[in-house]
Amino acid sequence: MITPRFSVRQDEAHVYITIHAPHVRAQSVEFDVDDDQFKFFASPYYLRLTFPGRVAEDDGSSASFDAASGDISVVLSKQTPGESFANLDLLSSLLATRQEREAAESGSGAAPPKRPVIEEIGAVESTADGVDSILEQARADEDFDWELPQSLGAEEGERLLVGTEKYGFNQQYSGYLAHVHNTANEVNEVADPENMSGEERRRGRTACEDAKFDAEYYMADYLYDDEIQLLVQSTSQFAVALQRQRRAADSGDQEETVVGAEAGFSDAETKQMADLPRKAHLISDKRAIYLGLVDLLFAYALELRINQGESTVESAWTVGAVSATLSNLEQFDSLRTAAVACFRRGLAYPLYRNWELCEKALNDVYAICRLGRRAILKALLAMKRLFDAHDIYYIYSKLYIDDYCVWLQTGASDKAIRSLAHKLHGLEVAKSEIGWDLDGHEDL
């Protein structure tokens, strides 16, 4: 079955659903409304939406079909008039089953299960055992210690047991990079992605960074930085949006404050979300997922600053090369190690290699996280467009970005994102942490 493109909006009393299903016969269209769930069927299309509140099919409901545009418009009544349904613009959240929604909204409880990770693919309802596992994972406490390192011992033991290394979002993929060296993939720096452990990949990453760092290049950008200073002093779109959000909060505009300035999704972004794979993730290491998000957003923010908000033919490579997550399949164990890796790669790979520029990019990451998961999702969807348009780098959408986009809508914690933004706001990286004697070079 095909999931059709759709959009949802609301007012005080109704929910309005627009479904794009061209070339169907009006007589074949079937609807079903069951408490918080709406189902639509018209071969070959099937759509099931789970709302955060209850809806009803009553005298105030209606449906119409525009044969010219192929759009079916459905109006459902809210069982509780005046109730506001949250996150109607997060389409993957609406596509989640009731069990998945309950899991995502659970608060606290047992620790998440360890790998191997169970994943539900497609629109099939969860089994009873699967639901229990999802609920246990989702109830884990979101109050992370972002600086607490974790042991790699369990990963090494699993390597001996399984024999094949995992990588990608939630360490769930293997085999995708088996022939990476036979392609023109200039992002990848891992010598043997399928067999190198996380610690081996990390050592390889730092060795590549050490070899790539060019002291003369760094000093040229340090001494002759007129053009770079224009980029440093510019205000990013994320900082502007955060300023608007804060002004809205000060003025008491609750709707604008909650949603975040300029966080609405375009038609292209809505289509991207509708086309995302249907997955229910059981996260084995939530801290690593959030830290990987910092790394991805830093690479994206730095690229935007360098190109003044525009993308170029080199943008996909630059984002991939600056991101240790993508280029080296890195999984971070603390916020500081993630930030240090961001600065090292930001000073070794892109067109401009400047310390202040890296600091501004990290501040942009703070602004994105402070704006909330809609702003993060918009940034990741923009990254996805960059990689999807490339005939080689599209693999990174499959390994990381698609899953991140789904997880942000269905499993990410607003509380954890706020906590991460708070930690980023107070984080300072010293030049001595980078390992290249930057102060010594600058004093020459």
Side-chain angles (χ1 to χ4, degrees), residues 13 34 149 158 162 177 188 234 346 379:
D34 179 18
E158 184 178 88
V162 178
L177 300 176
N188 177 70
S234 65

Side-chain angles (χ1 to χ4, degrees), residues 191-235:
D192 188 359
E194 303 301 327
N195 295 293
M196 291 178 69
S197 69
E199 183 58 32
E200 289 171 331
R201 294 198 294 257
R202 183 169 299 115
R203 289 196 297 266
R205 171 178 66 80
T206 56
C208 287
E209 292 162 359
D210 290 339
K212 180 65 175 175
F213 176 71
D214 187 330
E216 292 183 359
Y217 197 130
Y218 174 78
M219 285 305 299
D221 281 356
Y222 175 74
L223 295 172
Y224 310 104
D225 65 344
D226 291 347
E227 187 172 346
I228 295 175
Q229 283 302 317
L230 295 176
L231 305 178
V232 170
Q233 294 166 13
S234 65
T235 303

Side-chain angles (χ1 to χ4, degrees), residues 60-305:
S61 304
S62 64
S64 60
F65 177 52
D66 185 340
S69 65
D71 288 343
I72 299 172
S73 301
V74 181
V75 180
L76 300 177
S77 299
K78 295 180 179 179
Q79 290 192 23
T80 306
E83 179 183 5
S84 178
F85 290 0
N87 301 328
L88 292 187
D89 54 345
L90 301 183
L91 303 189
S92 293
S93 176
L94 294 177
L95 291 170
T97 64
R98 285 171 175 154
Q99 292 89 343
E100 292 167 354
R101 182 178 292 278
E102 289 172 1
E105 294 174 353
S106 297
S108 60
K114 302 298 183 182
R115 289 183 288 140
V117 176
I118 301 171
E119 179 182 287
E120 176 192 351
I121 301 177
V124 181
E125 297 288 343
S126 302
T127 64
D129 291 340
V131 172
D132 290 340
S133 297
I134 293 173
L135 290 175
E136 287 178 5
Q137 179 272 329
R139 290 178 183 133
D141 186 12
E142 303 292 356
D143 291 324
F144 298 132
D145 177 358
W146 296 103
E147 298 303 323
L148 181 64
Q150 300 178 103
S151 170
L152 292 172
E155 179 182 298
E156 296 294 340
E158 184 178 88
R159 181 193 180 201
L160 295 175
L161 177 64
V162 178
T164 302
E165 287 299 325
K166 303 289 187 180
Y167 46 77
F169 181 89
N170 202 33
Q171 300 292 90
Q172 63 182 319
Y173 296 106
S174 64
Y176 282 80
L177 300 176
H179 306 291
V180 67
H181 297 297
N182 296 328
T183 68
N185 187 336
E186 297 180 350
V187 167
N188 177 70
E189 289 183 339
V190 184
D192 188 359
E194 303 301 327
N195 295 293
M196 291 178 69
S197 69
E199 183 58 32
E200 289 171 331
R201 294 198 294 257
R202 183 169 299 115
R203 289 196 297 266
R205 171 178 66 80
T206 56
C208 287
E209 292 162 359
D210 290 339
K212 180 65 175 175
F213 176 71
D214 187 330
E216 292 183 359
Y217 197 130
Y218 174 78
M219 285 305 299
D221 281 356
Y222 175 74
L223 295 172
Y224 310 104
D225 65 344
D226 291 347
E227 187 172 346
I228 295 175
Q229 283 302 317
L230 295 176
L231 305 178
V232 170
Q233 294 166 13
S234 65
T235 303
S236 71
Q237 60 187 8
F238 314 114
V240 171
L242 184 57
Q243 291 169 0
R244 291 181 180 176
Q245 187 187 70
R246 286 171 171 166
R247 286 197 297 267
D250 293 340
S251 65
D253 188 340
Q254 293 299 319
E255 181 177 354
E256 183 72 2
T257 301
V258 172
V259 172
E262 301 186 20
F265 296 106
S266 67
D267 291 342
E269 290 168 335
T270 299
K271 184 179 186 306
Q272 278 185 285
M273 289 189 285
D275 292 340
L276 288 170
R278 290 285 298 113
K279 291 185 177 181
H281 298 99
L282 297 181
I283 305 300
S284 58
D285 185 349
K286 290 191 288 185
R287 183 188 290 104
I289 296 296
Y290 287 104
L291 294 176
L293 198 58
V294 171
D295 174 72
L296 292 172
L297 292 176
F298 176 88
Y300 175 67
L302 184 61
E303 162 65 9
L304 277 187
R305 275 197 174 269

Side-chain angles (χ1 to χ4, degrees), residues 1-6 44-48 95 123 274-275 278:
M1 305 300 291
I2 300 173
T3 300
R5 287 193 288 118
F6 69 95
Y45 300 103
Y46 175 76
L47 179 67
R48 182 192 63 239
L95 291 170
D275 292 340
R278 290 285 298 113

Side-chain angles (χ1 to χ4, degrees), residues 382-399:
M383 291 176 63
K384 176 175 166 59
R385 289 193 294 274
L386 291 178
F387 289 110
D388 285 352
H390 198 280
D391 58 357
I392 295 173
Y393 302 151
Y394 74 90
I395 190 66
Y396 295 109
S397 286
K398 295 184 178 297
L399 294 178

